[in-house]
Amino acid sequence: MVKYIAKRFAQSILTLFIIITIVFSLLRLMPDEGYLGAAAEKMSPEQQEIYLTNLGLRDPLLVQLKNFYVNLIQGDLGKSITYRTDVPVLDIIQDKMMYSILFGLGAVALSLLVGVPLGILMAQFKGRWLDRLGTGYIVIVVAVPAMVYFLMIQMYISEWFNLPMLFDEYNPRSFILPLICLALGPIASYAMWMRRYMVDELNKDYIKLARAKGVTERTIMFRHVMRNAFIPMAQYLPATILFTITGSIYIESLFSIPGMGGLLVDAIQRQDNNVVQGLVLVFSSLGIIGLILGDLLMAIVDPRIKLGKGDSVR
Amino acid sequence: MKKTLLALLCMFVLVLAACGDSSDSGETSEYRTVYSGEIKTLNYLKTAETNEFALSANLVEGLIEYDQYGVVKPGLAESWESNEDATVWTFKLRDDVKWVDHEGKDVENVVAQDFVDGLNYVLDAKNESSTAWIATVVKNGDAFYNGEVTDFSQVGIKAIDETTLEYTLEAPTPYFLSMLNYVCFFPVNGEFLAEKGDAFGTTRENILYNGAYILDKFEPQNERVLVKNDEYWDKETVKIDRIRYKYNKEAATVAPELFLRDEIDGALIPTSILDEWLNSDDKKDLVRQNTNNFYTYFYALNFDPQYDAEYEPENWKVAVNNKDFRKSLYHALDRVSAMLTIEPYNPQDLLSNTITPKNFVDVEGVDYTMLEPLKAITETDSFNKDLALEHKEAALAALAGKATFPVKVLLPYNSGSPEWANRSQVVEQQLENLLGADYIDVELYAGPATGFLGEVRRPGKFSMIEANWGPDFADPSTYTDPFTEGGTYNKPEMAEGYNSEYNKLVEAAKAEVNPAVRYELFAKAEAFLIEEAFVIPYAVGGGGYTASKLNPFESQYSPFGVTSEKFKGQSILEKPMSNEEFKSAKEAWEKERAEALANTSN
């Protein structure tokens, strides 16, 4: 197990290095105009050159890359250029991460609490009205573009229940609508997968045998079916939780939540190389950690899986 | 972390009892709004972005400001004088102006040295100031910026004593006062700046304030709150106690709704919902037009085409060098139909017949655009079918055997702007219909949304292009930059028979200190540019519609720089101004302005 983790960790470092180097080099291909902002039209070519040289953009690419890695090893991601001038990238990411984690974890908790039981009930009452109702909900959430019902919720639900349209950290009632919006999609997908795995499991021979032996329905459900149905879902749980850090672009912008959603897009649009590099580093690390944790969790919940010999479970 | 804990508590308790509304009532007046473009810095010495000017202007003051009619008024300087040729300017500062910190506590007095320290920072290239280019008007400014001069005492700014400041300029600059409306001439407390280093301007704690407001809260992409500065030297004029900006990425979409719910006091009303507002009894009186700004928009004809052979740049070059051909385009462009893509209700309000907009500068009360020989152009609509067809026939005759008809006209637009794309299609159809497909063939090209100028306009990859320019100081010369030799627009100096005509006129005008003579020479230069149809003036920026409890005619009036962004002097109206009220207020303001200008010899 330890050996396996060490090996995966070494591979991850190499992957990160490749990703960052590629992104770093691509960013250097961006047009100069973006760095100059509103002053581009007014500066003389000489002044523009001096300005860009001072930003370090006129050094050879390898020198820039070397400087970046030297700073990175010292834990310095550099300072923002055009997103929030001179503010350390780490500070920017940290501040925003808090909000996204807060809402993300809230939404994951809410969707597990609602989605999983909903899936279980739908599987139990397959074909009955509850199942149909649940399926209807899932179809609507999947088929209707999310933006449409988010806007509806913000416009109308806020009016009916007299809830604030925008997020305000000092007003607990302003948390309700964004949380609901964030959880709608995951609730549908948890319910859908849970129902599917449960139905698969319920049709297996050992369940029929257990029923024939007179095991109570309750025991069958909780001891056998649910546990086995949850295994495939366990694999993605760590990644889901970790990715709450990245925030939801649309919901955060709709409700004015100062989270990470859209930060990468903003930083790319403003050509803030340092912030983009920092974010890519964070996001790719999250992805890699999520995958590793997912594998480990699978091994824990499913005793049939042994790590290390055939490496990953996939 | 504390905040997160608090928020966590809030979330998991989720008490449904209504929390007390945080807005104060009665005593304090508060202006609330939403915005979608976040600022990147509070470092006013570095930025060149309009939305950052808008904030800085309320926090930090410079030497001068303007009244609501555009007359220069003392700011931190209580008086000033200049020498004969406007190269040396001396300012006497108020002695009671305080720097305060983010809690409103006194730090120090504002002294002449603070202006020297500010300029020193701006002109030091390693600080990457985006407004350094404008500060190079002072003697040796440019030389210091590019490292030829290393001793800052050689640069033309001196603190004679605590309250006397002297600027020495590179050349006669009669409009220097108006340049002081720019952030690069703002003061900074040198000691504080040195102490903060790179962190200066990154948070509300890391700047000092001497303006009408203090930043009480600054949380990017969440909220910022300005509160009145009790130590401000002119605090009686500040009528709004608190200004609250709430961030919302979809501000444009949600603002009208928030305004109707009385959650904010000002919202832009996009044209997409304007119809609904104007046709609804309870909304139509809440919305009014916006004032125009001083960005000038024009179509530029390119004399140095550098695009793919498939669009026949050589053929364009032959055609564009014929005056009749240019004039046919000039008179054929129906600017109103093009403008309808932005302003479906009052398109003519945004049209401009000249490059320099109306109400920009004046001589003894006469607006610059009404000076001879510009007056005739100002008073005539360039769109004229008969003239267009006359010139077309003349061009066909003159260019027979030299150019191939139809002439391909490459008209690029920025694909990131749907309005611009629509407008380009309108212009294409309109020109081809009027002049005939046998004469021109307008080819649209969707340019990149990012880096459009660097990819398309500057390298000359166009025959004709919609371009704009914003002014930097109160002088017509500010509108000549794109067209003088070395400009990056349409290179009129490459036109046949040009003989530096425009440049000579501009140079002569720049050398003249007497405003009456100076402006007349500029008017001549501009009239030449338009008369030759090197450019087709088209519109000014701004406009649009707004629902707002602010009176736009109470704010400081200045076509450039930052004072027009000040809340100082403005008050919150009981109810938003209707468009009828707006129109009559505008009329009254124009009258009062004319009087105010006549009473002051600029």
Side-chain angles (χ1 to χ4, degrees):
Chain A
M1 185 72 134
V2 176
K3 207 170 146 190
Y4 167 78
I5 294 174
K7 192 174 167 190
R8 286 288 302 261
F9 184 73
Q11 284 174 340
S12 311
I13 296 289
L14 182 68
T15 314
L16 277 179
F17 173 78
I18 294 168
I19 293 173
I20 288 287
T21 307
I22 292 173
V23 169
F24 189 96
S25 312
L26 286 176
L27 284 171
R28 268 53 190 181
L29 297 173
M30 297 286 265
D32 289 343
E33 217 170 286
Y35 303 112
L36 299 164
E41 208 59 282
K42 307 284 184 174
M43 286 183 184
S44 71
E46 296 76 29
Q47 287 168 340
Q48 290 185 13
E49 219 32 55
I50 292 172
Y51 186 88
L52 294 167
T53 308
N54 275 306
L55 278 178
L57 291 164
R58 288 295 184 255
D59 296 342
L61 184 64
L62 285 176
V63 173
Q64 291 185 44
L65 203 55
K66 185 204 84 187
N67 293 341
F68 172 72
Y69 278 117
V70 167
N71 291 334
L72 187 62
I73 288 161
Q74 297 164 345
D76 177 12
L77 280 174
K79 290 191 168 123
S80 162
I81 307 166
T82 49
Y83 182 74
R84 281 196 62 198
T85 312
D86 293 330
V87 177
V89 172
L90 268 177
D91 291 1
I92 294 177
I93 296 180
Q94 250 167 354
D95 290 352
K96 295 187 151 295
M97 219 186 242
M98 289 302 174
Y99 288 100
S100 289
I101 293 177
L102 177 76
F103 276 96
L105 290 183
V108 169
L110 186 62
S111 36
L112 282 172
L113 286 174
V114 179
V116 172
L118 181 65
I120 294 169
L121 289 170
M122 283 165 71
Q124 241 183 321
F125 302 107
K126 203 176 101 181
R128 310 252 280 278
W129 65 269
L130 183 77
D131 186 25
R132 287 198 190 127
L133 198 72
T135 310
Y137 163 73
I138 291 167
V139 168
I140 288 174
V141 168
V142 174
V144 178
M147 288 184 193
V148 175
Y149 54 80
F150 289 161
L151 270 172
M152 295 279 174
I153 289 172
Q154 195 194 29
M155 284 286 179
Y156 299 111
I157 308 253
S158 70
E159 208 159 0
W160 295 337
F161 294 97
N162 192 22
L163 290 166
M165 273 173 80
L166 302 181
F167 167 71
D168 170 6
E169 59 190 317
Y170 302 108
N171 179 358
R173 300 173 72 244
S174 71
F175 286 70
I176 300 172
L177 290 181
L179 267 180
I180 291 174
C181 285
L182 275 167
L184 281 178
I187 286 175
S189 70
Y190 283 133
M192 187 167 71
W193 290 112
M194 198 68 202
R195 176 186 179 280
R196 199 204 114 174
Y197 293 133
M198 294 263 302
V199 171
D200 282 356
E201 210 62 32
L202 278 167
N203 290 333
K204 285 190 176 157
D205 289 346
Y206 78 94
I207 300 287
K208 290 178 185 150
L209 180 67
R211 280 202 180 120
K213 284 196 323 196
V215 180
T216 61
E217 203 59 25
R218 217 186 143 129
T219 317
I220 290 176
M221 271 291 165
F222 286 94
R223 290 284 307 274
H224 302 293
V225 179
M226 259 185 62
R227 201 177 150 181
N228 285 330
F230 199 73
I231 289 173
M233 298 186 53
Q235 194 187 348
Y236 298 105
L237 202 59
T240 314
I241 290 172
L242 280 176
F243 269 105
T244 63
I245 290 174
T246 59
S248 152
I249 296 185
Y250 192 67
I251 290 171
E252 287 186 1
S253 67
L254 196 64
F255 291 97
S256 290
I257 300 166
M260 294 268 276
L263 179 58
L264 184 60
V265 179
D266 282 350
I268 292 172
Q269 278 174 343
R270 294 194 180 199
Q271 281 186 229
D272 198 325
N273 297 352
N274 295 348
V275 176
V276 175
Q277 283 148 208
L279 285 172
V280 169
L281 187 68
V282 170
F283 291 174
S284 17
S285 308
L286 285 178
I288 290 167
I289 294 167
L291 290 176
I292 297 178
L293 286 181
D295 290 352
L296 293 177
L297 193 63
M298 282 284 281
I300 292 164
V301 294
D302 188 347
R304 291 169 303 181
I305 294 172
K306 291 274 179 292
L307 293 173
K309 293 195 176 68
D311 273 348
S312 125
V313 289
R314 269 178 297 279
Chain B
M1 199 62 218
K2 258 188 194 163
K3 231 188 284 170
T4 317
L5 276 173
L6 178 85
L8 265 170
L9 266 174
C10 283
M11 199 173 94
F12 289 113
V13 177
L14 275 186
V15 194
L16 282 172
C19 281
D21 190 13
S22 61
S23 67
D24 306 302
S25 55
E27 313 307 301
T28 54
S29 62
E30 181 178 66
Y31 178 77
R32 302 154 305 168
T33 185
V34 285
Y35 67 100
S36 61
E38 186 52 87
I39 63 161
K40 62 178 192 285
T41 181
L42 299 171
N43 184 345
Y44 50 93
L45 298 172
K46 232 176 168 167
T47 178
E49 309 289 333
T50 312
N51 59 352
E52 284 153 27
F53 287 166
L55 187 58
S56 299
N58 289 294
L59 308 176
V60 184
E61 294 234 320
L63 292 164
I64 53 115
E65 52 185 6
Y66 286 81
D67 69 4
Q68 69 209 85
Y69 305 116
V71 176
V72 179
K73 283 276 181 284
L76 297 191
E78 53 187 11
S79 64
W80 52 81
E81 56 188 13
S82 76
N83 65 349
E84 196 66 25
D85 68 351
T87 51
V88 180
W89 294 73
T90 314
F91 295 83
K92 202 82 192 131
L93 306 191
R94 295 174 197 282
D95 56 6
D96 58 343
V97 180
K98 299 260 191 288
W99 284 116
V100 298
D101 65 10
H102 62 283
E103 287 168 334
K105 291 200 188 83
D106 276 5
V107 179
E108 270 198 60
N109 274 7
V110 176
V111 292
Q113 184 58 37
D114 296 344
F115 290 86
V116 180
D117 292 341
L119 199 67
N120 190 349
Y121 180 93
V122 167
L123 287 172
D124 186 340
K126 74 171 180 353
N127 293 324
E128 296 153 10
S129 166
S130 299
T131 48
W133 58 272
I134 200 163
T136 54
V137 65
V138 297
K139 192 164 187 252
N140 285 333
D142 202 32
F144 185 79
Y145 185 79
N146 62 31
E148 289 165 26
V149 168
T150 49
D151 176 7
F152 192 73
S153 66
Q154 304 291 303
V155 177
I157 181 168
K158 231 198 253 69
I160 310 282
D161 58 40
E162 283 216 339
T163 56
T164 316
L165 180 67
E166 183 187 271
Y167 288 93
T168 308
L169 308 182
E170 203 63 80
T173 314
Y175 50 86
F176 179 61
L177 272 188
S178 68
M179 294 176 98
L180 298 172
N181 192 2
Y182 260 96
V183 283
C184 55
F185 291 105
F186 277 18
V188 67
N189 181 296
E191 214 173 295
F192 184 84
L193 181 66
E195 180 195 325
K196 295 295 174 191
D198 266 356
F200 177 76
T202 52
T203 62
R204 71 188 189 94
E205 292 86 0
N206 288 349
I207 61 165
L208 291 181
Y209 307 80
N210 67 9
Y213 291 92
I214 294 169
L215 201 46
D216 189 45
K217 185 175 182 185
F218 175 57
E219 290 177 9
Q221 296 187 307
N222 181 16
E223 190 172 38
R224 58 175 181 257
V225 179
L226 277 60
V227 295
K228 193 171 165 175
N229 174 5
D230 283 331
E231 296 289 336
Y232 181 52
W233 66 271
D234 191 17
K235 66 176 175 197
E236 287 70 34
T237 321
V238 183
K239 297 170 192 156
I240 302 175
D241 298 313
R242 182 193 290 267
I243 299 150
R244 189 185 291 274
Y245 294 86
K246 184 79 188 135
Y247 174 82
N248 187 305
K249 197 153 192 165
E250 306 300 322
T253 316
V254 298
E257 180 61 25
L258 289 169
F259 184 85
L260 290 174
R261 294 185 190 190
D262 197 28
E263 285 184 42
I264 56 172
D265 304 307
L268 288 174
I269 307 299
T271 34
S272 51
I273 59 165
L274 193 57
D275 252 348
E276 186 218 330
W277 275 59
L278 292 176
N279 294 325
S280 133
D281 281 343
D282 40 0
K283 293 186 207 165
K284 69 172 190 301
D285 288 336
L286 306 179
V287 62
R288 63 164 170 85
Q289 280 174 273
N290 256 328
T291 46
N292 298 346
N293 66 32
F294 288 84
Y295 265 86
T296 184
Y297 289 78
F298 48 87
Y299 280 88
L301 305 181
N302 189 6
F303 291 89
D304 187 22
Q306 297 291 340
Y307 43 85
D308 287 349
E310 67 170 301
Y311 296 113
E312 302 167 5
E314 289 309 313
N315 193 44
W316 166 259
K317 208 167 170 169
V318 174
V320 79
N321 274 305
N322 175 282
K323 187 171 172 177
D324 281 310
F325 180 81
R326 296 196 302 266
K327 290 292 255 192
S328 68
L329 293 176
Y330 174 85
H331 289 300
L333 182 72
D334 179 358
R335 301 172 308 159
V336 171
S337 67
M339 203 67 224
L340 286 170
T341 54
I342 312 177
E343 169 49 284
Y345 295 91
N346 301 293
Q348 60 292 344
D349 287 1
L350 285 169
L351 292 188
S352 176
N353 297 349
T354 46
I355 295 293
T356 309
K358 280 181 188 167
N359 293 337
F360 176 64
V361 285
D362 66 286
V363 183
E364 288 147 20
V366 180
D367 193 69
Y368 167 81
T369 58
M370 297 304 280
L371 296 174
E372 292 297 348
L374 214 47
K375 189 168 187 257
I377 293 172
T378 304
E379 290 175 336
T380 335
D381 188 351
S382 63
F383 177 54
N384 183 326
K385 282 182 191 171
D386 300 341
L387 278 175
L389 294 171
E390 257 173 60
H391 284 291
K392 171 190 166 179
E393 293 311 319
L396 281 171
L399 291 170
K402 294 179 194 156
T404 323
F405 286 95
V407 176
K408 279 192 176 165
V409 183
L410 180 61
L411 182 71
Y413 60 88
N414 183 324
S415 56
S417 161
E419 280 179 352
W420 193 347
N422 290 343
R423 196 159 48 250
S424 303
Q425 287 170 4
V426 169
V427 168
E428 173 190 26
Q429 287 174 356
Q430 191 262 314
L431 285 179
E432 286 180 356
N433 286 345
L434 201 159
L435 293 171
D438 61 328
Y439 182 65
I440 53 165
D441 171 17
V442 178
E443 299 265 10
L444 295 186
Y445 169 73
T450 45
F452 178 81
L453 299 178
E455 290 293 313
V456 178
R457 204 202 69 213
R458 286 198 202 101
K461 293 180 179 169
F462 65 96
S463 318
M464 188 164 129
I465 198 169
E466 184 186 308
N468 69 15
W469 182 260
D472 303 309
F473 40 79
D475 189 65
S477 66
T478 192
Y479 284 104
T480 64
D481 292 354
F483 314 109
T484 43
E485 279 169 35
T488 60
Y489 278 63
N490 59 334
K491 312 267 181 204
E493 67 267 26
M494 313 268 291
E496 282 167 23
Y498 171 75
N499 297 334
S500 306
E501 192 69 33
Y502 179 73
N503 252 34
K504 283 179 199 157
L505 284 165
V506 169
E507 289 309 319
K510 282 184 175 174
E512 186 59 57
V513 182
N514 174 351
V517 183
R518 182 183 174 94
Y519 286 14
E520 198 169 318
L521 285 165
F522 277 122
K524 259 199 191 122
E526 186 166 330
F528 167 80
L529 196 69
I530 300 168
E531 162 55 27
E532 284 289 333
F534 290 155
V535 289
I536 308 172
Y538 158 53
V540 289
Y545 290 79
T546 192
S548 166
K549 288 187 184 167
L550 291 178
N551 174 353
F553 303 107
E554 276 182 347
S555 71
Q556 297 196 13
Y557 179 82
S558 155
F560 42 78
V562 305
T563 62
S564 54
E565 307 285 356
K566 286 184 180 183
F567 280 94
K568 175 183 176 177
Q570 299 200 74
S571 47
I572 299 176
L573 304 168
E574 288 291 307
K575 59 179 188 45
M577 197 184 250
S578 72
N579 211 35
E580 288 72 37
E581 287 167 341
F582 171 82
K583 281 191 160 147
S584 55
K586 188 176 177 193
E587 215 170 292
W589 174 85
E590 279 176 344
K591 249 196 219 103
E592 287 159 17
R593 178 168 189 257
E595 281 165 29
L597 293 177
N599 293 337
T600 45
S601 51
N602 282 354

